Amino acid sequence: MATKRQKTNREKVIECLSTLSKSIFNTDALGVSANDIAKQIDIQRSTVSLYLNELVRNGDAIKVNTRPVYFLDEKIYQANKSEFDQVTQYIQQNDNDVIQDPFGELVGSEGSLKDVVDQIKSAVIYPPRGLPTLLVGESGVGKSFIAQLAYQFARQKKLVTGKWVVLNCAEYADNPELLSSILFGSVKGAFTGADSTKDGLLKEAEDGYLFLDEVHRLNPENQEKLFQYMDKGTYRRVGETGSVQKSNARLIFATTEKKSTDFLQTFLRRIPLVIQIPDFQERTRKERIDLITMLFFKESQTIQRNLRITSEVVQVLIQNVNEGNVGKLASIAKLACAEALLHTPSNLDNIDIKLDSLPNDFLKTTDINNISMTKNYEIQIQFKTQHIKSRNTIERDQLYQFLNEFIKISMAFSINKITETHYYKQVGEIENQIIDYISFDLRKTKANAFSEYLEQTLKSILSNLYINIGITQFNSSANLLTKLIIYINDYEDDQEVDELNETILILKQKFPDEIQLANRIVNAVKNQFNIHSVVLYQAFVFSFIYSQNQKMIDRENNAIIITHGYSTAESLASTVNRLLGSYIYESFDMPLDASVDDIVREIRAYFKTIDITKPLIILVDMGSLKNLDERLKKIYQGSIAIISGVSTEIALDIGNKILQNNIDKLALQQSTKDGTPKLTVIEPAKQENVILTTCITGIGAAKYLQDLLQENTNGKIKVISKDFYELKKNGIKDPIFSKYHVKIIIGTDDPCITEVPYLSVEGLINRDIGDPVFMTAFPSEFTSENLADMNSSVVRAFTIDNIANNMATLDPTVTVKQVENCVTKLERSLGTKMGVYLKISLYMHLCFMFERVVQGDPNLDYHNVRKFKQCYGHFIEITKDALSDMQHYYSVKIPDSEIGFIFDILKNRVDLFSIE
């Protein structure tokens, strides 16, 4: 009897949604939550959420965007609408929220592309037929995808009913007449071959959208025709003179040219909206990880394998995808999966995407020096369950972990399991963990206009709170609170959190002032952000305010730090306050060009929140900040001490004295004296200038090069040798570069260390190549004359006779003839004539190779021999045949690893790929 097939998780979700949808007939329920289904079928809530949203996109489920989000089986709802009165009523009242926004598919639609999406939506809904829009961006940034989403949005809003029509103008740039006929249509007899009258794409896009990509490739005449269409809604087909045609097709254009001289100014003036699409490196780190994850997820579904993309791969992609942008990234993901799939047994479900899986042409232009070994960016994708784990999911999970810890101690406090003192201490510990995580573990992002605006908004709220609950640290709080809110907004999702609502009710009862302030802040943030869960923000903002406010202890002195630059003072004040375990310093960050008036204006607002009769200590950095005394004494009643040249040491010393209420003029003088900068000069270690030799076949040939160069530089320049693969693996971090100042690397293959010039053996012999390298590296040691002498010696040394004479075991006379015959035979088999310099490299390699093999010491360390044998089996056969006489003569067998080294010598100099 056949075994019954187990249901997939997707099938389980669909079946459970159907069952639970029927179970809520004639109830007040708005649907079924992801959490309900997850508990019912015992799989992860995030997995259930993925399947439910897929069903919504496919029209098989209805999504009700409440908190929590609810779902209903579409067919059951349509067949039983009378049983779902509450749902129907909600849909009618909140139609826009129930319909899925097409731009929800766009990574970054609520982040770096929010302005782009808002502008496009505005253009789409503008009467009577939208605004012509030009999308500007580098190749691969997603202009075509964004344009198509605009069309889908217009259809959703019932603004268009026609087709989505696309024309790439670059395809017809060399034939503007043909392009014109395609775009506008043509009448019979307009040109040779025009056997009938045909409508163009403008007519085909009637009631819809026409997307013209690479529009800068339109010639002036066609731009003029489009100008007329945008101006009057009319146009003429090619060959048409009397009548005009009409269309209501909407237009979206795209170009890679920011300032193209190919555009007519009259044409551009008719395009009211020009939108710049940011490139991949301008997107946030979270969005770049999301894009990488999304593209590898698509490949996992295609190849039906689980993927593990290593941390190193993710970091390389985050930092190095430049030209080609998202389009290039998609290509890299596909090629990397293909490469990894090739080398993974077919019976394994799991595939690792490592650095060597990435395309070679991409790796050659990649900087891997900035890879972090301490932070985990690994992405794991399960193709069956569609479960994804990435740096973003880790940071999201961390957000909810902080939240659950806060809920846990709040619930314990509500039933008197812990005292308020203990509660405050634990909230403070959690808040410190959150701030540390945001400040140090998350990748720091540059301040942008939006974050600065949000910070100013929060400052204006916090600066008025002294009267209500005594919070005075409004500047530092605003900066940290801005980071916290951006973190929440980046990583919140629609998951339900147990006891969160109950926690907020408890906080309202226990701490009404603080929760009221939290609500004010959250309401202000709602005007700037698309907030999914208000209670989530309330919990985090409350914990922040509560922990900050409890740190305030009445002091005998007020103290502030003022510096130039963004977050310099805030960072210094925050560090010192944390070290002292108490809130001592308020901070003020001022632009570099800030005037005394600007500074006084900021400080005046702060003075309204403190007792201005107490002594005030101001730590400043430089410039205009030193001229504050005359202005401040007019608005401050207490004594003022201004100390310039602020440092962490001075701030810490003075802060400690403030803590002890042990501060006066003498104490401040002592602090400034103790904090005077001290000079320590560290002389760089003197490194000896050297030439480094290396050889792809091992240290033997490298040693030969070393001896040869040492002899021909008369001992004036030290020459050292190094194993090639160890050098290539370690790169510039190899210990050799700490010990010596390597000026040139000379060898049979390039180890790709960009910081040091590389000179091949061919270049060493060819003076046109070698002389400039030597004279640049050692200008005082080399002249044209002594380089000529050295070149003559090197050329003599590199004759095959001389190479053979430096061998310890084989008969030079026999070896010379054998090697020459092998190379000749190899040339004929490969169908190519090798240059003299390449032959010399190959002669040297073959001599030392056979000596190693005859002595029983072949080089078996070739990287990835299995892959080499799979890909270049024909080359191996050809080479072994060319070496067959010598193998027979010496009764040895040349291993595939040694053939691999021959391949590496030839691959960049001879076309080997056409023979496979």
Side-chain angles (χ1 to χ4, degrees):
M1 183 176 176
T3 305
K4 187 177 180 181
R5 181 181 70 85
Q6 286 189 336
K7 294 177 181 176
T8 66
N9 283 339
R10 186 177 189 278
E11 290 169 338
K12 290 178 183 178
V13 170
I14 293 171
E15 185 180 280
C16 189
L17 176 64
S18 176
T19 302
L20 292 180
S21 294
K22 294 175 183 176
S23 72
I24 60 172
F25 281 177
N26 295 314
T27 68
D28 291 337
L30 289 174
V32 180
S33 72
N35 211 38
D36 294 335
I37 296 177
K39 289 178 181 177
Q40 190 85 8
I41 61 178
D42 195 27
I43 64 175
Q44 286 186 327
R45 189 206 63 82
S46 58
T47 302
V48 173
S49 185
L50 278 171
Y51 287 128
L52 288 173
N53 283 297
E54 179 192 339
L55 293 173
V56 172
R57 285 194 296 271
N58 294 338
D60 296 322
I62 294 173
K63 184 176 184 179
V64 181
N65 285 320
T66 54
R67 290 294 127 192
V69 174
Y70 291 111
F71 299 86
L72 274 177
D73 185 293
E74 169 73 18
K75 289 181 181 177
I76 291 174
Y77 171 72
Q78 294 297 342
N80 303 275
K81 277 190 178 182
S82 60
E83 311 289 344
F84 293 104
D85 287 342
Q86 291 292 327
V87 178
T88 303
Q89 184 179 349
Y90 182 89
I91 290 175
Q92 290 171 349
Q93 293 174 352
N94 303 273
D95 188 51
N96 289 336
D97 292 331
V98 176
I99 298 174
Q100 192 82 2
D101 185 349
F103 285 99
E105 299 179 40
L106 182 64
V107 173
S109 60
E110 289 295 330
S112 64
L113 296 180
K114 189 176 189 305
D115 286 345
V116 170
V117 171
D118 289 346
Q119 289 181 76
I120 289 177
K121 286 182 175 180
S122 298
V124 169
I125 66 174
Y126 198 85
R129 53 190 179 96
L131 297 175
T133 303
L134 175 62
L135 304 179
V136 182
E138 295 179 8
S139 175
V141 297
K143 299 186 295 297
S144 300
F145 181 56
I146 292 172
Q148 191 162 15
L149 291 177
Y151 166 70
Q152 293 174 14
F153 179 72
R155 282 190 67 90
Q156 184 188 85
K157 294 293 183 182
K158 298 181 173 55
L159 297 170
V160 298
T161 56
K163 295 167 60 177
W164 168 252
V165 180
V166 178
L167 173 65
N168 189 324
C169 301
E171 295 178 8
Y172 302 96
D174 295 332
N175 195 339
E177 292 80 12
L178 177 59
L179 191 153
S180 186
S181 67
I182 292 172
L183 186 56
F184 300 102
S186 59
V187 297
K188 182 178 179 180
F191 49 84
T192 303
D195 300 328
S196 61
T197 296
K198 293 182 179 179
D199 289 325
L201 297 183
L202 269 177
K203 182 61 72 174
E204 186 180 344
E206 182 91 42
D207 297 320
Y209 264 94
L210 174 59
F211 174 55
L212 298 181
D213 201 3
E214 301 294 341
V215 68
H216 60 279
R217 302 299 298 275
L218 280 177
N219 71 340
E221 182 182 350
N222 282 323
Q223 289 185 46
E224 287 282 5
K225 289 182 177 180
L226 273 178
F227 165 76
Q228 179 183 334
Y229 171 71
M230 288 186 284
D231 191 36
K232 299 179 179 178
T234 62
Y235 63 95
R236 284 189 172 88
R237 292 174 292 202
V238 175
E240 196 167 41
T241 55
S243 59
V244 295
Q245 304 299 314
K246 290 185 178 181
S247 174
N248 61 359
R250 294 163 173 243
L251 298 176
I252 298 184
F253 309 105
T255 179
T256 55
E257 306 298 314
K258 291 182 179 178
K259 293 182 179 179
S260 177
T261 56
D262 296 327
F263 285 125
L264 297 176
Q265 288 305 306
T266 51
F267 176 71
L268 289 177
R269 281 200 295 271
R270 279 296 166 192
I271 305 176
L273 194 57
V274 178
I275 302 175
Q276 181 71 44
I277 312 297
D279 62 34
F280 183 72
Q281 290 302 326
E282 291 173 324
R283 307 286 288 271
T284 66
R285 183 201 57 148
K286 178 181 180 295
E287 290 170 8
R288 280 178 277 166
I289 293 175
D290 281 342
L291 286 166
I292 293 167
T293 304
M294 177 189 72
L295 293 170
F296 276 105
F297 175 79
K298 288 181 178 178
E299 297 307 321
S300 77
Q301 300 302 299
T302 300
I303 64 178
Q304 295 287 286
R305 300 290 183 93
N306 302 326
L307 296 182
R308 183 182 74 90
I309 302 94
T310 65
S311 178
E312 293 78 13
V313 168
V314 177
Q315 291 182 72
V316 163
L317 294 176
I318 288 172
Q319 298 168 16
N320 293 280
V321 172
N322 296 303
E323 294 182 6
N325 292 286
V326 181
K328 176 69 172 178
L329 183 63
S331 174
I332 291 171
K334 188 176 291 291
L335 292 172
C337 289
E339 174 71 15
L341 184 63
L342 176 66
H343 301 298
T344 302
S346 58
N347 62 331
L348 294 182
D349 282 342
N350 301 316
I351 292 180
D352 287 346
I353 308 295
K354 301 178 181 178
L355 283 176
D356 62 0
S357 306
L358 298 177
N360 286 331
D361 61 337
F362 172 67
L363 283 176
K364 287 178 182 177
T365 62
T366 295
D367 179 13
I368 62 172
N369 293 324
N370 293 325
I371 291 179
S372 169
M373 295 295 115
T374 59
K375 291 185 180 179
N376 180 21
Y377 287 83
E378 181 177 291
I379 298 172
Q380 297 175 16
I381 300 171
Q382 302 291 323
F383 80 92
K384 288 182 179 177
T385 65
Q386 299 189 354
H387 179 68
I388 295 171
K389 182 179 180 182
S390 70
R391 179 77 183 178
N392 286 349
T393 62
I394 291 170
E395 290 169 358
R396 181 202 63 203
D397 292 345
Q398 184 63 65
L399 175 74
Y400 284 93
Q401 183 178 325
F402 287 137
L403 179 64
N404 285 317
E405 288 175 10
F406 173 70
I407 291 172
K408 182 179 178 182
I409 62 168
S410 296
M411 297 303 289
F413 175 57
S414 72
I415 57 176
N416 300 317
K417 276 192 174 182
I418 58 175
T419 64
E420 184 171 352
T421 301
H422 190 55
Y423 178 66
Y424 155 67
K425 182 180 178 182
Q426 288 199 321
V427 171
E429 288 175 358
I430 293 173
E431 200 57 41
N432 283 339
Q433 290 173 17
I434 294 172
I435 296 303
D436 283 348
Y437 184 73
I438 294 171
S439 301
F440 304 118
D441 290 349
L442 285 181
R443 191 176 193 184
K444 289 178 179 155
T445 55
K446 294 180 181 178
N448 54 38
F450 178 74
S451 65
E452 291 179 1
Y453 171 75
L454 179 61
E455 183 177 338
Q456 290 301 319
T457 301
L458 295 173
K459 274 186 185 181
S460 67
I461 295 172
L462 295 174
S463 64
N464 295 317
L465 298 176
Y466 177 66
I467 298 172
N468 295 325
I469 56 175
I471 291 183
T472 61
Q473 60 268 40
F474 63 94
N475 271 5
S476 299
S477 292
N479 184 273
L480 294 174
L481 193 53
T482 300
K483 293 178 181 178
L484 174 62
I485 287 170
I486 291 174
Y487 171 45
I488 298 169
N489 189 258
D490 278 345
Y491 294 103
E492 69 160 326
D493 61 16
D494 62 358
Q495 65 179 274
E496 299 170 50
V497 181
D498 292 338
E499 300 182 316
L500 176 56
N501 290 315
E502 293 90 331
T503 298
I504 297 301
L505 289 175
I506 291 165
L507 297 178
K508 287 178 179 178
Q509 295 169 359
K510 299 283 188 181
F511 309 102
D513 290 338
E514 285 86 348
I515 203 70
Q516 183 182 3
L517 170 57
N519 288 339
R520 285 184 59 186
I521 291 172
V522 173
N523 287 333
V525 172
K526 279 173 65 178
N527 294 327
Q528 316 301 333
F529 279 132
N530 180 21
I531 288 180
H532 292 295
S533 174
V534 171
V535 287
L536 177 72
Y537 282 81
Q538 286 174 332
F540 277 111
V541 174
F542 165 82
S543 68
F544 179 84
I545 291 169
Y546 180 69
S547 64
Q548 294 290 311
N549 193 36
Q550 291 290 320
K551 292 179 182 178
M552 292 301 295
I553 299 173
D554 193 34
R555 312 255 179 244
E556 293 299 319
N557 298 268
N558 298 314
I560 62 177
I561 297 175
I562 311 173
T563 65
H564 293 88
Y566 180 80
S567 79
T568 308
E570 186 276 327
S571 178
L572 178 56
S574 177
T575 300
V576 174
N577 289 341
R578 288 291 297 278
L579 289 171
L580 294 173
S582 186
Y583 195 92
I584 303 295
Y585 291 105
E586 178 58 87
S587 61
F588 293 87
D589 291 293
M590 305 301 299
L592 291 173
D593 58 353
S595 65
V596 175
D597 289 339
D598 296 328
I599 298 164
V600 171
R601 193 178 303 112
E602 285 283 318
I603 296 175
R604 188 189 293 271
Y606 164 69
F607 285 170
K608 294 178 182 179
T609 69
I610 61 173
D611 183 349
I612 61 173
T613 64
K614 292 182 177 181
L616 172 65
I617 299 168
I618 304 177
L619 306 186
V620 302
D621 57 354
M622 62 175 184
S624 61
L625 300 186
K626 297 178 183 179
N627 304 317
L628 283 173
D629 50 350
E630 289 300 320
R631 299 289 298 275
L632 291 182
K633 70 182 182 182
K634 296 177 182 178
I635 58 174
Y636 195 82
Q637 297 175 17
S639 61
I640 301 173
I642 301 177
I643 300 171
S644 62
V646 62
S647 65
T648 305
E649 182 181 3
I650 291 176
L652 199 57
D653 184 51
I654 293 175
N656 192 46
K657 291 173 180 176
I658 292 173
L659 260 181
Q660 300 169 12
N661 285 326
N662 182 27
I663 196 85
D664 55 23
K665 187 175 181 180
L666 288 175
L668 290 174
Q669 287 175 341
Q670 187 61 45
S671 294
T672 55
K673 181 179 179 182
D674 294 342
T676 302
K678 299 167 183 64
L679 175 65
T680 302
V681 178
I682 302 174
E683 296 289 350
K686 291 188 177 180
Q687 293 179 305
E688 186 177 3
N689 293 336
V690 300
I691 295 173
L692 179 63
T693 63
T694 187
C695 181
I696 202 167
T697 59
I699 202 69
K703 188 72 171 61
Y704 175 71
L705 276 174
Q706 176 188 357
D707 295 340
L708 177 62
L709 288 165
Q710 193 73 68
E711 179 182 338
N712 281 280
T713 53
N714 300 318
K716 291 181 180 179
I717 302 171
K718 186 165 185 171
V719 184
I720 55 177
S721 57
K722 180 76 180 179
D723 177 76
F724 175 82
Y725 287 102
E726 186 179 352
L727 187 63
K728 185 163 187 176
K729 177 185 175 183
N730 296 337
I732 198 66
K733 294 180 180 178
D734 192 280
I736 202 86
F737 297 104
S738 300
K739 188 174 182 181
Y740 297 105
H741 185 196
V742 180
K743 303 286 284 186
I744 310 173
I745 298 174
I746 300 177
T748 55
D749 201 17
D750 188 357
C752 299
I753 298 173
T754 56
E755 293 84 356
V756 183
Y758 167 73
L759 186 63
S760 65
V761 171
E762 298 98 300
L764 177 66
I765 298 168
N766 185 340
R767 288 195 63 191
D768 290 339
I769 299 173
D771 283 11
V773 176
F774 281 112
M775 294 186 77
T776 301
F778 299 96
S780 58
E781 280 83 6
F782 288 113
T783 63
S784 181
E785 291 75 17
N786 61 24
L787 280 172
D789 294 338
M790 186 179 84
N791 182 261
S792 299
S793 300
V794 169
V795 170
R796 284 195 302 274
F798 271 114
T799 61
I800 195 163
D801 291 336
N802 210 327
I803 292 171
N805 288 335
N806 279 275
M807 297 166 62
T809 304
L810 303 185
D811 181 345
T813 306
V814 176
T815 304
V816 167
K817 190 66 178 173
Q818 288 174 329
V819 167
E820 286 180 323
N821 288 339
C822 286
V823 173
T824 300
K825 193 172 182 180
L826 189 59
E827 282 182 316
R828 290 170 180 167
S829 297
L830 295 174
T832 185
K833 291 292 289 181
M834 299 181 195
V836 62
Y837 303 125
L838 176 56
K839 278 188 178 180
I840 289 173
S841 293
L842 203 53
Y843 289 160
M844 181 175 70
H845 170 77
L846 292 175
C847 286
F848 288 113
M849 180 193 76
F850 268 101
E851 185 165 63
R852 280 197 309 274
V853 175
V854 169
Q855 291 174 333
D857 188 26
N859 192 338
L860 301 176
D861 292 333
Y862 186 73
H863 58 99
N864 210 338
V865 175
R866 182 168 61 87
K867 177 181 176 181
F868 172 64
K869 290 167 67 176
Q870 286 177 340
C871 298
Y872 302 106
H874 189 44
F875 175 82
I876 294 173
E877 292 178 13
I878 288 173
T879 306
K880 284 186 175 180
D881 179 64
L883 303 177
S884 58
D885 290 343
M886 289 188 74
Q887 292 184 88
H888 179 72
Y889 183 84
Y890 292 111
S891 299
V892 295
K893 183 179 179 181
I894 303 299
D896 292 336
S897 58
E898 289 283 11
I899 305 296
F901 292 118
I902 297 172
F903 176 83
D904 284 351
I905 290 173
L906 297 177
K907 67 181 179 183
N908 293 325
R909 302 167 173 92
V910 176
D911 180 14
L912 301 179
F913 303 97
S914 61
I915 66 172
E916 294 299 326

